[in-house]
Amino acid sequence: MYSHLVSLRDVTDADLEYLVRRGVWFASEQAAAHRPLTGTVVGGYFSKTSTRTRTAFASAALRLGAGHIAYGPADLQLVTGESMEDTAHVLSRMLDALVVRTADDPAEVRALASQSRMSVVNAMTADEHPTQAVADLTTLMRHFGRINGLRILYVGEGNNTAAALALALSRFPDVELCLATPPGYGIAKGILDLAQEQAAAHGGRVTQCHDLDAAPRGAEVVYATRWQTTGTSKPDPRWQEIFRPFQVNEALMGRHPGAVFMHDLPAHRGEDVAAEVIDGPASIAFDQAEHKAHSAKAVLEWCLLGRQD
C-alpha cells in the first residue's frame, strides 16, 4: 500500500524528521545517480499557478527515474462534472503517484487519496502547504546543521505556508516560532492550538502577535511570504494598508543580527520584502527554492517505497 502526504498532521514525528534528512541527502552529490523510481509514473495535477512546486516535483520524478504526466486546470474530466472519487479510481489504475495543487478545500485532495493504489501528495490546499514546510526544514537543516532549538520569526499572513511551518517546526525540540501576522489575518485557531500543543510537548514554543514591535528579538531566521496568497483574495479594500507595517526590510533585519532571510516565493519587492533584503547577503531564499526539488525527491520516494533507512 502506498503512503499519502495530504497533511503534516498525518505524518509521525519520526517520518517528518526522516523526510527532512532524506531531502538533505538528496541534495548531496552521492544521490546524483539514485534512480529508485524507475518503472513508475507520477502525475502532476495543478489547477492553480505554480513555478517552484510544479517544477520541483516534475524534475524530481524524472531524476528519480519515473515517467511524468502533467495535467492543467482544464485537462481532466473534473471540469465536466466527473467526481474526484471517480477520477481517483481511474488515475490510480494508471499512475503510481499524483501530486495535486488546488489551493481550495483539502477535502478534494482527501477524495483523491481515498483509494489505495496510488500515492497522493498535497502540493497546496487552502489550509496547508505541507511540501513547502518539508522544503523549508530541509533548507534549515542544510544551513544550520540542525532544527532543534532554532528561533524563527515568520512575518506576513497566517496562510497555508504559515500553517505548515507551525505544524512542522513544533515537532522539533526547543524550537521557538513567532508568527507576526497583520490584525485579522492570523493563523487559524485550530492549527495554532495544535502547533502550540505540539511545541509544548517538545519543549518549544509557538506564539502569534499582530504587532512587529511585540515580536521577540534575536531570531536566527526571518521568514516572509507574499501578501496575496495563491488562489485567494481579500475582501477588505484597505488590506494593503494593514499589511504595510509587516514588510521585511533592513530595519527589521537589524533587530535580528546575524539572522538569515527566507521567503517561499514569489516575492514582491517593495511590498512583502525590500529588495536590499532578498537580494542581500543574508538571503537564502533561492537556496530554499532549490531545496524544493531535493525535498520533492524525498517525498516521492517515501510515498512510493517507504523509508530507506
Side-chain angles (χ1 to χ4, degrees), residues 95-116:
L95 300 176
D96 297 285
L98 180 67
V99 181
V100 186
R101 166 170 290 190
T102 70
D104 293 321
D105 191 334
E108 295 179 340
V109 179
R110 294 229 177 253
L112 288 168
S114 61
Q115 44 65 47
S116 60

Side-chain angles (χ1 to χ4, degrees), residues 24 120 156-157 217 285:
V24 171
V120 172
E157 186 173 22
R217 304 292 178 104

Side-chain angles (χ1 to χ4, degrees), residues 46-297:
F46 283 71
S47 66
K48 301 294 182 182
T49 57
S50 175
T51 298
R52 280 148 294 277
T53 305
R54 181 172 182 170
T55 306
F57 274 98
S59 64
L62 294 170
R63 291 182 189 279
L64 292 180
H68 184 265
I69 301 173
Y71 307 103
D75 288 342
L76 298 178
Q77 296 289 2
L78 289 166
V79 296
T80 68
E82 186 169 29
S83 71
M84 280 286 184
E85 290 80 3
D86 285 356
T87 300
H89 284 303
V90 170
L91 293 180
S92 71
R93 292 162 187 265
M94 304 177 189
L95 300 176
D96 297 285
L98 180 67
V99 181
V100 186
R101 166 170 290 190
T102 70
D104 293 321
D105 191 334
E108 295 179 340
V109 179
R110 294 229 177 253
L112 288 168
S114 61
Q115 44 65 47
S116 60
R117 297 176 61 163
M118 170 183 75
S119 289
V120 172
V121 176
N122 176 3
M124 194 175 77
T125 49
D127 67 329
E128 190 180 340
H129 197 346
T131 62
Q132 179 68 53
V134 176
D136 292 342
L137 270 61
T138 299
T139 306
L140 293 172
M141 183 69 80
R142 279 205 83 196
H143 184 83
F144 291 98
R146 64 183 172 90
I147 297 172
N148 297 358
L150 286 177
R151 301 185 305 279
I152 299 160
L153 173 63
Y154 172 94
V155 182
E157 186 173 22
N159 58 14
N160 41 33
T161 289
L165 270 177
L167 291 171
L169 286 169
S170 59
R171 313 274 283 276
F172 288 80
D174 305 320
V175 169
E176 294 185 15
L177 170 65
C178 176
L179 301 152
T181 60
Y185 293 93
I187 194 171
K189 184 179 185 303
I191 290 177
L192 180 60
D193 289 346
L194 177 57
Q196 290 177 329
E197 179 184 329
Q198 290 178 167
H202 292 84
R205 191 175 181 215
V206 174
T207 59
Q208 181 169 242
C209 67
H210 304 298
D211 181 349
L212 269 176
D213 290 333
R217 304 292 178 104
E220 295 165 274
V221 180
V222 176
Y223 190 123
T225 186
R226 72 172 177 173
W227 290 348
Q228 191 67 54
T229 302
T230 299
T232 66
S233 60
K234 297 176 175 60
D236 184 352
R238 298 175 56 254
W239 69 267
Q240 286 182 305
E241 296 177 32
I242 299 171
F243 275 69
R244 197 163 291 122
F246 290 82
Q247 182 190 88
V248 176
N249 49 37
E250 290 183 299
L252 175 58
M253 293 298 292
R255 301 178 196 174
H256 307 278
V260 298
F261 173 75
M262 295 177 67
H263 196 299
D264 57 349
L265 302 178
H268 292 259
R269 290 164 177 79
E271 293 185 3
D272 42 89
V273 62
E276 295 79 8
V277 174
I278 191 169
D279 298 322
S283 175
I284 59 170
F286 294 98
D287 292 336
Q288 179 185 356
E290 178 187 336
H291 281 93
K292 294 199 87 167
H294 302 312
S295 61
K297 293 178 186 177

